[in-house]
Amino acid sequence: MYDLKRIEEKFHEFLGSDCEGFYRLEDLKVTEELFRKGESIHVPFGMMKYRLKAENGEAVLEVRVMTRMDVDAVCFIYEDEIRRCNLFGVHGDERRRKIESLRRKPEGCDVCRGLVERGIHACPKCGRNVLDIRYRKHLREMQEEYGSDDLLELSREKLSFSQIITIYTFIERCDRHCADTPTADRCRRDGTFANLEKRMDEIAKEVM
């Protein structure tokens, strides 16, 4: 499923640029075993830990370099790319943001591009389960485009898949901290959900 040989070559490329001559690269293999447990090796002035992970349908080798009491660098190695950031002197939220920025963000297909893969609604073309993390901004844009802020009125328009997900995400977030689901219940009663489901079926037929 994954081209681990390509990842191994990139791993050796990364090691050769940082620690050339310190160890034999041919002894450092990237195998399926790294999915189950990571490995660690000594490097000049510290330790390097690495482990394979599966993210968004592809394998990535996550490498952490520790040369003092903390992680000084993180590297994500893909089949075709090396992404690295130095973390010396970086702490807290800034550190987490820098590490997260290294990860590849799936763009999705032309139907669900711009949505993130953390939802419960599946794209009819590529199958990603998505939600809209910028739903407030996109909902305002929809309200301006269609001249209405009523969800039932909006659901009657010929919406795109992304616009439907914006509405679904808004409804879910409205009810997130409630003991029950008043917004979803209202949309179920007044036909908003029925209209959205009907439009979703139309989109699914269009993209098949």
Side-chain angles (χ1 to χ4, degrees), residues 17-78:
S17 64
D18 275 39
C19 309
E20 187 175 1
F22 191 72
Y23 36 64
R24 296 194 309 171
L25 296 181
E26 59 268 23
D27 292 339
L28 302 174
K29 303 293 185 183
V30 175
T31 66
E32 293 277 350
E33 184 69 18
L34 291 179
F35 279 117
R36 292 181 287 277
K37 66 181 186 70
E39 294 287 350
S40 62
I41 56 175
H42 289 283
V43 295
F45 311 110
M47 177 79 69
M48 177 185 293
K49 294 185 177 181
Y50 54 98
R51 183 173 184 172
L52 269 173
K53 296 183 177 181
E55 295 181 354
N56 304 309
E58 61 182 344
V60 55
L61 187 70
E62 183 173 332
V63 182
R64 293 177 178 255
V65 182
M66 292 157 283
T67 56
R68 295 169 182 84
M69 297 298 291
D70 203 354
V71 177
D72 282 348
V74 171
C75 179
F76 289 170
I77 300 176
Y78 297 88

Side-chain angles (χ1 to χ4, degrees), residues 76 95-105:
F76 289 170
R95 169 174 286 227
R96 285 188 287 273
R97 282 194 296 270
K98 288 193 74 170
I99 294 175
E100 187 61 27
S101 69
L102 293 181
R103 301 182 188 277
R104 283 182 174 175
K105 304 298 189 298

